Amino acid sequence: MIDIPSFMTDEGSKRTSDYGPRTYDLFLAPMEIAWFGRWRRRMLSTLKGEVLDIGTGTGTNLKYYPEDVRCVTVVDPDDDNISYLERRSRGWGFGDDGKCLRTHMGVGEELPFPDETFDAVVSTLILCTVEDPERVVSEGTRVLKRGGRFIFIEHQLPRWKPQAIVFNIISPVWHAPSGCNLNRNTEEMIRSRTELVELETHRTGPILGYPFFIGDFRKRA
Ligand SMILES: C[S@@+](CC[C@H](N)C(=O)[O-])C[C@H]1O[C@@H](n2cnc3c(N)ncnc32)[C@H](O)[C@@H]1O
């Protein structure tokens, strides 16, 4: 097992939304049932070894990591989320004889891990929220082992022009309570990373314009 220092700190916790983890889960529940749950299972169920989950939030991904995953390191700036997901994780095979869970209260833009630490890095529904998505992807790539996988389930500005206009207009209003931007060009930004090679990608979505980008990338060996 890799030797990672103790990450939990009492300083710098940041509330990243105006509501708590339970409200977030309630809000997402219908979408988890309709779409996200399926996408998470598909993208996470083949991962192995040491996984870094950036912006883990309420920890919904944790229930989809298979037995081959030895340890999941989660990073989130909101300590309410961290304590909530720690409690939930016990029901999903973490702790005692199960998979190990390491928690770090912090941001994806500054990951305190050495280069090439993880077998897989996971980014689900966070590149809309983080302050600097490019830096998060750079940091995620830096700590990923060569040949390791970088998984994305993200939403972005739809390609269909009329819908993009609407998303641009409502994004600031939506951002105020949620911290989420509806109008980032996430797919383009990920594809511009020359260190990442595409294994499988989908542009999908429950509504017109396919505002979701699902991607499985490999870091060049
Ligand atoms: C919409 S939630 C997504 C949570 C989870 N990944 C999921 O799939 O349900 C966005 C998460 O990103 C976290 N976050 C906000 N800014 C961040 C940053 N700079 N670095 C890492 N995580 C951040 C928030 O605390 C929140 O938990």
Side-chain angles (χ1 to χ4, degrees), residues 16 24 40 55-57 76-78 81 107-109 124-126 129-130:
T16 52
Y24 174 82
R40 291 183 202 273
T56 317
D76 201 285
D78 189 329
N81 281 341
V107 293
E109 288 89 341
T124 62
L125 309 176
I126 65 149
T129 304
V130 299

Side-chain angles (χ1 to χ4, degrees), residues 14 34 48-49 70 72 120 122 130 134 136 148-149 160 168 172 194 196-197 206 209 215 218:
K14 187 176 149 208
K48 293 180 183 155
R70 269 193 313 278
V72 179
V122 172
V130 299
E134 268 191 74
V136 170
R149 284 164 67 193
W160 189 45
N168 273 320
T194 49
L196 296 177
V197 182
R218 186 170 48 75

